[in-house]
Amino acid sequence: MTVVAQKLSAGKRLGREDGLALFATNDLLGLGRLADYANRLKNDDRVYYINNLHINYTNVCVNDCAFCAYRRKQEQADAFNMPVEQVLAKAAQLWHSKAVEFHIVGGCHPRAKLSYYCKMLSALKKAYPGAHLQAFTAVEIDNIARVSRVGVRETLTALRENGLGSLPGGGGEIFAPAVRGKICPEKISGKRYLAVMRQAHQLDIPTNVTMLFGHIESAADRVDHMLAIRELQDETGGFNSFIPLLFHPWNTRLEQLSKTGGIDVMKTMAAARLILDNINHIKAFWIMLGVALTQMALFFGADDVNGTVLEEKITHEAGADTPQHMPGEELERIIIDAGRTPVERDTLYNPLQR
Ligand code: SF4
């Protein structure tokens, strides 16, 4: 840790060995101080949140990830596929005057074509012209392209023409092939995920980027995952935020694993803040962390608690005991109680004045 602290104070970039040292240290408070300092240089005491709405349009998926409690086969009784009219009806049910973003993700449907996704976005954009549409993970984009027999670039271009504003970061999981082969063998590789992200960035479509942690991966896998993200960010600058997603084991085929603890979560947050020196924002997603760990994460380099959400299904099916929605006032209270200044933002981190 001393070497890492010296490197940071000399303005040097951290390497793989430094990243491993961050996970190996028992000096948790020292680690927090380093990450907090790095965060304050970028974000001062601001902590961001957004008024957003989640729409999960299908739970049918050709993949069968071991950590997923959400996916269904088409023939299962509780499988659902929302026609565009139903997506609009769900949007109308959720929409409120403070909402600024629809966050739209689902399974990798075996048959839905690009035209369905374009219709969905254009219908939402027509009904809610001021809303930002953050839709479809890199994994979904690759699937849409494959099912529709068009290229990823054409897929992204068509979606953007119909209202796509940005991509969420889901599907990153862990890039290490050996781990990925065990937890999500059918899913596109980490390399492919990053290649889709690269194409989005080249088309000026910003994205987030994620890492699923706390299952069977090692600290080295986490560090390598972050270094691969940093490398692409050096090239494109298209990542708005990094989101370390805490694995929830219940109702999944990895149920035998226990949920990782608070110290591991804080180390991961801090390592992310210190390694990803070219990404401005690190998210502590309250849906996965709960309120207590979210507040703690603000002392370990995180500067964003994500959004008000409204109706999250994917993490809750894996046993998250957080609510499905948190009003903006409540998120502000959580941030203020941690001694920080809440800033309501839009998807692209522009502050909003109400
Ligand atoms: Fe499908 Fe996503 Fe679940 Fe994997 S995590 S099975 S890609 S819905």
Side-chain angles (χ1 to χ4, degrees):
M1 273 282 285
T2 314
V3 175
V4 173
Q6 284 167 349
K7 267 192 163 176
L8 289 169
S9 65
K12 289 190 183 151
R13 209 165 218 202
L14 300 188
R16 189 170 194 267
E17 291 306 313
D18 304 315
L20 293 175
L22 299 177
F23 280 101
T25 186
N26 285 322
D27 181 9
L28 194 65
L29 296 182
L31 179 61
R33 266 193 298 276
L34 291 177
D36 190 45
Y37 182 74
N39 173 42
R40 283 174 187 272
L41 289 179
K42 289 185 187 295
N43 298 299
D44 199 5
D45 72 346
R46 296 183 296 276
V47 173
Y48 295 92
Y49 76 95
I50 185 170
N51 268 289
N52 63 353
L53 313 168
H54 279 215
I55 297 182
N56 301 128
Y57 59 91
T58 184
N59 59 357
V60 174
C61 187
V62 292
N63 296 334
D64 188 14
C65 304
F67 55 80
C68 181
Y70 174 73
R71 174 257 186 185
R72 298 290 186 276
K73 291 182 195 162
Q74 181 71 67
E75 58 272 21
Q76 283 181 264
D78 53 353
F80 70 88
N81 308 283
M82 290 187 183
V84 170
E85 301 69 42
Q86 203 179 332
V87 172
L88 278 177
K90 177 55 81 178
Q93 178 201 332
L94 299 176
W95 185 256
H96 58 84
S97 61
K98 286 187 177 172
V100 296
E101 173 194 284
F102 284 108
H103 178 100
I104 306 161
V105 292
C108 292
H109 197 277
R111 283 187 305 281
K113 295 260 173 27
L114 179 57
S115 56
Y116 160 75
Y117 300 93
C118 288
K119 265 187 219 149
M120 184 199 300
L121 294 186
S122 66
L124 282 169
K125 203 68 190 170
K126 194 168 165 210
Y128 307 93
H132 181 105
L133 305 183
Q134 178 166 87
F136 316 132
T137 65
V139 176
E140 289 166 271
I141 296 289
D142 185 80
N143 180 64
I144 297 166
R146 206 170 36 75
V147 171
S148 313
R149 297 177 187 275
V150 294
V152 164
R153 195 179 179 85
E154 287 163 86
T155 301
L156 287 166
T157 304
L159 293 171
R160 187 177 54 183
E161 280 165 5
N162 283 279
L164 178 74
S166 60
L167 301 189
E173 325 311 358
I174 281 282
F175 298 150
V179 175
R180 208 172 177 87
K182 286 187 183 136
I183 63 169
C184 49
E186 300 98 351
K187 191 170 259 176
I188 57 171
S189 67
K191 272 195 183 147
R192 181 76 182 150
Y193 170 92
L194 289 173
V196 174
M197 291 299 197
R198 179 183 287 106
Q199 297 211 43
H201 297 171
Q202 286 170 349
L203 292 167
D204 286 329
I205 300 170
T207 76
N208 295 325
V209 61
T210 59
M211 176 181 77
L212 184 73
F213 73 100
H215 42 91
I216 58 168
E217 84 291 0
S218 66
D221 294 330
R222 295 185 201 178
V223 172
D224 290 341
H225 187 99
M226 292 178 198
L227 290 174
I229 290 168
R230 190 173 76 182
E231 198 180 321
L232 181 56
Q233 180 75 341
D234 278 345
E235 184 188 321
T236 65
F239 291 127
N240 277 338
S241 73
F242 175 70
I243 316 167
L245 298 171
L246 173 61
F247 171 60
H248 283 253
W250 299 296
N251 300 329
T252 76
R253 294 205 305 283
L254 300 174
E255 209 167 32
Q256 74 281 6
L257 301 176
S258 45
K259 206 161 102 180
T260 197
I263 290 173
D264 191 34
V265 173
M266 294 311 133
K267 284 185 178 181
T268 307
M269 288 286 165
R273 179 60 288 157
L274 293 170
I275 293 171
L276 296 171
D277 53 12
N278 53 3
I279 295 184
N280 284 336
H281 304 288
I282 306 292
K283 279 191 193 177
F285 194 2
W286 66 267
I287 283 268
M288 296 194 158
L289 299 183
V291 170
L293 287 183
T294 297
Q295 285 184 312
M296 289 301 301
L298 302 182
F299 294 83
F300 285 80
D303 67 288
D304 189 328
V305 296
N306 209 347
T308 50
V309 174
L310 211 54
E311 235 188 59
E312 199 280 341
K313 288 195 172 78
I314 295 171
T315 311
H316 283 89
E317 296 217 1
D321 53 6
T322 45
Q324 297 235 352
H325 166 61
M326 183 98 70
E329 297 73 24
E330 188 60 15
L331 286 175
E332 292 207 358
R333 184 195 64 74
I334 286 168
I335 296 165
I336 290 167
D337 281 356
R340 302 298 170 98
T341 303
V343 178
E344 186 185 352
R345 64 169 175 88
D346 66 11
T347 308
L348 306 176
Y349 284 89
N350 299 302
L352 298 178
Q353 307 291 342
R354 295 287 183 188

